[in-house]
Amino acid sequence: MAVEAMLPTQEELRLSDTARRNFVVVIPAYNEVENIPDLIRELRATFDRYGLEGEVVLVDDGSTDGTAEVARAQAAGWDRFRVVSHRRNFGKTEALLTGADASEGDVIILYDADLQHLPDEIPRFLAKIDEGWDIVTGRKVGRYEKQAVSGIYNRLSRRLFDVPVSDLNSMKAFRREVLDEVHLRHDWHRFFVVLAYARGFSMTEIPIALHPRRHGQSKYSGRGRIVVGFLDLVSVAFFLFFSRKPMLLFGVSGLVLAALGVVVGLTTVALRIAHLMPPFGYRPLLYLVILLETLGFLLFGFGFLAELTAQQHAELEALHRKLDRRARS
C-alpha cells in the first residue's frame, strides 16, 4: 500500500470540532536531539494543514544530548507544545504516564520522536477514534529491522490473549479513561492493548506507513530486549489469567504435588511389603515423599494467601470506582 494512499486529504477527513481540539500527542524522547527540528516543523505543519487544536507534550526521558533544550528553542512561540523532563531515563511507559498527567485532552496519541511514522497519521487516528472506538492501533506497513522478532511477539500475544488487532507495539490512540483504568508497570506499554482488551475496551487498527529512522539509533534493540520482553509476556499472562483466582494455579499445583507424594509413598510401601528393594534403596523415596508433600502444602497455603490478596485488590478497585463516580457526579 502506497504511503500517499494512506494519508488523508482535508476533504476526506471528517473530524468533529471536539476531535480536533480534545486530544494530546504524547512524545517520549530519549537522546533524539537530531530528530527534534524535523519533528516540530512537521508537527506544526500537520496541525496547520488539518486545523488541529490539541496539545503536544514531549517528555524528555532523561536525555543527555540537550533534547529538551533544543525542543523548547525550536517550538518557541507555539503555545500548543510543551516539554516536561525526567531527571533520569525511566523508560517509555513512565514517559507515557508523565505526558498523560501533564495534559488534559480526553484522547491520547502515543507518538515516537524518531519520525518513523509521519505526523500526518495523527488526524487518521483522531478520525477513527471519533467513530466511537476506545483504542486505535497502527499496523505497520513496510519492512523494518526487527520485523521477524516483532512478528513472533505479535502472533504469540494474539494466540495467548486473543486480541482483535495484529500489531500491539506501534503508534496508537486511546481515550484517557482507558489509561485511568489500566495500571501500567515498567515496560508494560508493550502490553497496554492486551490489558485494555482484558478490561473490555473496544479496539480496531489502521495501516500506517513505516519509514526509516532519519537520525540516531533505536533505543529498543539488542538480544536482552527479547529476553525481557518474553519475561514480561509471562508476567502479563500470569496477571491476566491468575490474578483474580490465584488458587487455580497455586492450589491445583499444590494438590497435584501432594497427590504425587501419596502415590510415591504408597508405591514405597508396596515395594516394602513385596520385599522388592529398589537399586537406590528406600531412603531416597522417603525423601521424595517428604519433599512433594511439603511443597504441595506450601503451595496450597500460598494459594490461600494469594486469594486474600486478590480479594483486597478487588475491594480497592471497587472503592476506586466508587470514588470516581462521586468525583464525576
Side-chain angles (χ1 to χ4, degrees):
M1 184 180 295
V3 174
E4 292 80 5
M6 284 189 283
L7 296 179
T9 64
Q10 295 185 56
E11 291 75 19
E12 294 171 335
L13 259 180
R14 292 181 174 87
L15 285 176
S16 65
D17 290 339
T18 301
R20 293 179 189 276
R21 295 193 305 267
N22 195 18
F23 73 92
V24 55
V25 181
V26 175
I27 309 174
Y30 176 61
N31 288 343
E32 295 285 0
V33 66
E34 294 174 301
N35 288 309
I36 293 300
D38 288 348
L39 172 68
I40 295 176
R41 182 178 64 253
E42 294 181 24
L43 278 171
R44 294 188 73 163
T46 295
F47 270 58
D48 291 340
R49 184 159 49 249
Y50 295 100
L52 304 180
E53 301 178 11
E55 304 173 78
V56 180
V57 177
L58 185 140
V59 182
D60 172 37
D61 191 25
S63 299
T64 58
D65 63 351
T67 292
E69 291 77 11
V70 171
R72 291 188 179 97
Q74 292 289 325
W78 189 22
D79 57 3
R80 303 195 185 282
F81 186 95
R82 287 188 295 131
V83 178
V84 294
S85 298
H86 288 164
R87 288 185 292 274
R88 66 174 182 85
N89 180 246
F90 288 104
K92 191 171 183 177
T93 302
E94 288 80 356
L96 167 61
L97 296 175
T98 296
D101 288 342
S103 60
E104 297 180 355
D106 287 340
V107 174
I108 300 171
I109 298 176
L110 182 61
Y111 184 82
D112 290 337
D114 56 16
L115 286 171
Q116 289 193 277
H117 302 302
L118 297 180
D120 280 349
E121 303 286 6
I122 292 172
R124 297 183 64 222
F125 280 85
L126 292 174
K128 203 67 178 177
I129 283 282
D130 209 23
E131 294 178 6
W133 298 97
D134 296 318
I135 303 174
V136 178
T137 67
R139 175 172 54 83
K140 294 187 287 290
V141 176
R143 299 188 61 83
Y144 52 100
E145 181 182 353
K146 297 174 288 184
Q147 189 168 9
V149 174
S150 179
I152 293 172
Y153 160 76
N154 283 318
R155 285 194 294 272
L156 182 59
S157 296
R158 289 198 304 274
R159 183 174 294 273
L160 279 175
F161 308 114
D162 196 31
V163 291
V165 296
S166 59
D167 196 338
L168 306 183
N169 195 24
S170 181
M171 182 179 173
K172 55 181 65 70
F174 49 90
R175 300 185 187 279
R176 182 175 293 273
E177 64 192 79
V178 181
L179 193 60
D180 290 339
E181 192 166 329
V182 174
H183 305 293
L184 297 177
R185 292 166 51 191
H186 177 67
D187 269 353
W188 276 23
H189 63 276
R190 293 173 292 185
F191 304 99
F192 175 72
V193 172
V194 169
L195 296 169
Y197 186 66
R199 303 289 296 187
F201 289 104
S202 64
M203 58 186 62
T204 189
E205 65 180 7
I206 59 176
I208 56 175
L210 184 73
H211 301 270
R213 172 181 269 272
R214 301 184 190 182
H215 306 285
Q217 296 180 342
S218 173
K219 309 305 186 295
Y220 301 97
S221 59
R223 295 181 180 178
R225 298 291 304 179
I226 298 176
V227 175
V228 172
F230 174 75
L231 293 177
D232 283 343
L233 183 67
V234 172
S235 298
V236 171
F238 173 82
F239 174 77
L240 291 179
F241 299 147
F242 299 113
S243 64
R244 296 188 181 277
K245 292 296 296 179
M247 185 61 82
L248 289 177
L249 176 64
F250 298 110
V252 172
S253 300
L255 288 175
V256 169
L257 289 177
L260 186 58
V262 171
V263 171
V264 174
L266 293 175
T267 302
T268 304
V269 172
L271 290 174
R272 190 66 179 261
I273 293 174
H275 300 290
L276 297 175
M277 174 68 75
F280 43 78
Y282 296 111
R283 191 174 297 275
L285 291 176
L286 178 61
Y287 289 153
L288 180 59
V289 171
I290 295 172
L291 176 63
L292 291 172
E293 294 298 328
T294 301
L295 288 177
F297 282 105
L298 281 175
L299 282 174
F300 197 80
F302 191 75
F304 276 117
L305 294 177
E307 283 285 340
L308 291 175
T309 302
Q311 178 62 28
Q312 291 179 340
H313 182 264
E315 291 175 359
L316 286 174
E317 281 194 333
L319 178 60
H320 181 72
R321 289 193 296 270
K322 184 177 181 180
L323 292 174
D324 282 345
R325 286 194 298 270
R326 286 186 177 180
R328 289 193 296 266
S329 62

